[in-house]
Amino acid sequence: VQLIIIEDRAEYHVKLSAEALAERERALVPWHVIINPELIVKSSHEAAFFEGCLSTKGLIGLVPRALEVQVKCLNERAEPVIIQARGWYARILQHEINHLQGVLNIDHMNPRTLMTVKNYAKYWQNKSIEEVCTCLRMKQ
């Protein structure tokens, strides 16, 4: 059995501007259980954003992820569910399902962007992804 619990609460959004929330297509995601998920990428379009993880606490990096996914799974009552997700919710699903497969965000990130959260907050947090890529001399 593979099981994950997902939510994206309002308190996680407080430090983000309206522009950042819109750019990430980030909205509240209520608490829910996903059992034995099957991830299907629905779009070849990707977006790269800085992503952290409690498994690598204190580190952050630029991770490209599909913008749209579908997840076939069971809910907490063992009922079949199909989740359609876009934007940040799709990112969360990919991140957590990767954990079930032994894959971390650092396995997907551009290694040139790996940094501490403290360094990110001091130098990079208010820069666009385009500016970051230009500064680090990398393709977006």
Side-chain angles (χ1 to χ4, degrees), residues 38-96:
E38 177 190 341
L39 178 73
I40 301 155
V41 174
K42 298 300 283 184
S43 168
S44 62
H45 297 355
E46 291 185 337
F49 288 105
F50 280 95
E51 192 176 297
C53 180
L54 294 175
S55 296
T56 55
K57 191 172 182 177
L59 298 175
I60 196 167
L62 206 52
V63 179
R65 300 256 187 210
L67 285 174
E68 191 173 355
V69 298
Q70 179 183 75
V71 176
K72 296 179 180 180
C73 60
L74 301 175
N75 66 15
E76 66 276 7
R77 291 180 287 286
E79 300 163 336
V81 175
I82 297 177
I83 299 168
Q84 305 289 340
R86 276 198 55 80
W88 204 259
Y89 184 28
R91 177 173 294 273
I92 292 169
L93 289 166
Q94 291 168 83
H95 179 109
E96 298 303 335

Side-chain angles (χ1 to χ4, degrees), residues 1-135:
V1 172
Q2 295 183 320
L3 182 130
I4 53 181
I5 298 171
I6 291 180
E7 70 178 330
D8 194 8
R9 298 187 289 209
E11 66 192 65
Y12 303 153
H13 298 204
V14 173
K15 293 184 180 179
L16 295 171
S17 68
E19 294 82 19
L21 290 169
E23 179 184 40
R24 289 162 177 75
E25 296 184 61
R26 192 163 179 180
L28 300 179
V29 176
W31 184 96
H32 61 289
V33 175
I34 295 173
I35 302 169
N36 294 339
E38 177 190 341
L39 178 73
I40 301 155
V41 174
K42 298 300 283 184
S43 168
S44 62
H45 297 355
E46 291 185 337
F49 288 105
F50 280 95
E51 192 176 297
C53 180
L54 294 175
S55 296
T56 55
K57 191 172 182 177
L59 298 175
I60 196 167
L62 206 52
V63 179
R65 300 256 187 210
L67 285 174
E68 191 173 355
V69 298
Q70 179 183 75
V71 176
K72 296 179 180 180
C73 60
L74 301 175
N75 66 15
E76 66 276 7
R77 291 180 287 286
E79 300 163 336
V81 175
I82 297 177
I83 299 168
Q84 305 289 340
R86 276 198 55 80
W88 204 259
Y89 184 28
R91 177 173 294 273
I92 292 169
L93 289 166
Q94 291 168 83
H95 179 109
E96 298 303 335
I97 292 170
N98 278 171
H99 276 298
L100 297 175
Q101 300 161 346
V103 177
L104 298 176
N105 64 335
I106 59 173
D107 297 319
H108 288 292
M109 75 176 49
N110 183 311
R112 295 182 92 174
T113 66
L114 180 63
M115 64 186 75
T116 65
V117 171
K118 186 176 180 180
N119 186 51
Y120 170 76
K122 187 173 182 179
Y123 299 108
W124 302 97
Q125 183 172 342
N126 296 316
K127 295 196 182 311
S128 70
I129 299 304
E130 293 80 22
E131 289 176 293
V132 171
C133 291
T134 300
C135 290

